[in-house]
């Protein structure tokens, strides 16, 4: 049986890890290099690094910090933020990323996913999609959750996977930072639409929420979280032990 992955997320702004609620009110947390090493040494299966304001500010991702993070860790690294062209894919991969996450760049240029998948393989292309309910409909948001694109989210995810995205990170804006549990309804809708790995993001507040996620939706491949790991509210080794005790396969 395929093990479930536990993935911490580093939201980086101006070279520092930050965290907010519902994508707003960002507060300084720590150095991305220090946190990355901590997670690599303490049982994280992968690490996600988002330069969260690169797209909104129209600039390229901070490659110096990224290179330092990549040199520090020994687990797979997914990187996103300001990814608008295949040249951006190339630059980030050369900095040490294993996978590249694309969000706003794919919205602006829908052919980007297909072009990148052809060059680097489906396994390298991760679609990160920020979703929020608007009048009861799942809508895609761009620029770090600031801009409603008007697109229906499930159709957008399906189109990107058909174009070559090998993995989907579902970021629920409704549950982000609220710590009341993952958005199971939203995740179920995405899992029903695609056959590639789906990563749940947004809403984890305790160990039980991960157990609830994988029990309710065994087709979800991974759980991603930020603040509960950053502030040591949940230790990844403890979380994995609890998941194992509940019959959920994890890498110990």
């Amino acid at each position: 049986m395929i093990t479930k992955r536990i993935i911490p997320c580093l939201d980086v702004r101006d070279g520092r890890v930050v965290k907010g609620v519902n994508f707003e009110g960002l507060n300084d947390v720590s150095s991305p290099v220090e946190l990355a090493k901590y997670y690599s040494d303490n049982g994280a299966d992968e690490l996600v690094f988002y330069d969260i304001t690169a797209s909104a500010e129209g600039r390229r991702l901070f490659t110096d910090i990224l290179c330092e993070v990549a040199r520090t860790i020994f687990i797979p690294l997914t990187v996103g933020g300001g990814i608008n062209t295949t040249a951006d894919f190339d630059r980030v991969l050369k900095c040490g990323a294993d996978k590249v996450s694309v969000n706003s760049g794919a919205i602006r240029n829908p052919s980007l996913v297909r072009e990148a998948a052809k060059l680097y393989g489906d396994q390298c292309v991760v679609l990160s999609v920020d979703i929020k309910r608007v009048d009861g409909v799942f809508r895609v948001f761009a620029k770090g959750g600031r801009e409603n694109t008007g697109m229906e989210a499930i159709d957008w995810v399906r189109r990107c996977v058909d174009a070559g995205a090998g993995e989907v990170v579902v970021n629920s804006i409704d549950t982000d930072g609220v710590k009341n549990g993952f958005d199971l309804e939203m995740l179920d809708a995405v899992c029903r639409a695609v056959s590639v790995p789906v990563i749940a993001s947004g809403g984890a507040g305790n160990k039980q929420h991960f157990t609830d996620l994988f029990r309710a939706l065994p087709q979800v491949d991974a759980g991603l979280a930020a603040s509960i790991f950053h502030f040591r509210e949940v230790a990844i080794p403890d979380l994995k032990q609890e998941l194992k005790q509940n019959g959920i396969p994890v890498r110990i």
Side-chain angles (χ1 to χ4, degrees), residues 94-162:
K94 285 176 178 173
C95 286
D98 298 281
K99 294 182 279 189
V100 181
S101 176
V102 62
N103 187 334
S104 296
I107 293 167
R108 281 190 291 271
N109 175 19
S111 65
L112 177 59
V113 169
R114 190 178 307 278
E115 292 167 5
K118 282 183 179 178
L119 282 171
Y120 304 109
D122 293 10
Q123 80 289 341
C124 179
V125 182
V126 178
L127 174 70
S128 177
V129 56
D130 299 334
I131 307 176
K132 185 175 183 177
R133 291 168 179 79
V134 179
D135 297 325
V137 177
F138 294 135
R139 296 293 182 192
V140 177
F141 277 65
K143 296 182 179 177
R146 298 171 181 83
E147 182 181 289
N148 184 357
T149 67
M151 291 192 297
E152 196 279 320
I154 307 306
D155 178 63
W156 169 244
V157 170
R158 189 183 291 114
R159 281 162 50 198
C160 288
V161 169
D162 288 346

Side-chain angles (χ1 to χ4, degrees), residues 14-15 33 40 48 52 54 71-72 89 108 132 150 189 230 232 237:
D14 299 330
V33 178
S40 181
V48 169
I52 59 171
R71 283 195 299 266
T72 303
F89 271 78
R108 281 190 291 271
K132 185 175 183 177
H230 297 344
R232 313 291 163 91

Side-chain angles (χ1 to χ4, degrees), residues 6-154:
I6 302 300
I7 306 175
C9 177
L10 307 183
D11 292 323
V12 180
R13 181 184 67 178
D14 299 330
R16 297 285 294 178
V17 177
V18 296
K19 192 69 190 86
V21 176
N22 303 127
F23 284 33
E24 297 178 348
L26 300 175
N27 297 307
D28 184 87
V29 176
S30 183
S31 152
V33 178
E34 291 173 7
L35 262 187
K37 184 178 189 311
Y38 170 79
Y39 291 131
S40 181
D41 293 345
N42 284 274
D45 295 297
E46 296 185 16
L47 187 68
V48 169
F49 178 114
Y50 288 142
D51 185 338
I52 59 171
T53 55
S55 290
E57 294 171 3
R59 60 167 171 78
R60 292 164 62 174
L61 185 145
F62 293 119
T63 53
D64 53 344
I65 295 168
L66 172 57
C67 288
E68 197 172 347
V69 167
R71 283 195 299 266
T72 303
I73 66 174
F74 300 96
I75 53 177
L77 174 64
T78 298
V79 177
I83 306 297
N84 296 299
T85 65
T86 53
D88 291 325
F89 271 78
D90 187 64
R91 182 168 47 86
V92 168
L93 290 168
K94 285 176 178 173
C95 286
D98 298 281
K99 294 182 279 189
V100 181
S101 176
V102 62
N103 187 334
S104 296
I107 293 167
R108 281 190 291 271
N109 175 19
S111 65
L112 177 59
V113 169
R114 190 178 307 278
E115 292 167 5
K118 282 183 179 178
L119 282 171
Y120 304 109
D122 293 10
Q123 80 289 341
C124 179
V125 182
V126 178
L127 174 70
S128 177
V129 56
D130 299 334
I131 307 176
K132 185 175 183 177
R133 291 168 179 79
V134 179
D135 297 325
V137 177
F138 294 135
R139 296 293 182 192
V140 177
F141 277 65
K143 296 182 179 177
R146 298 171 181 83
E147 182 181 289
N148 184 357
T149 67
M151 291 192 297
E152 196 279 320
I154 307 306

Side-chain angles (χ1 to χ4, degrees), residues 165-183:
E167 192 167 79
V168 179
V169 179
V170 179
N171 306 302
S172 171
I173 297 175
D174 295 323
T175 61
D176 175 70
V178 179
K179 299 185 180 181
N180 285 333
F182 290 98
D183 198 325

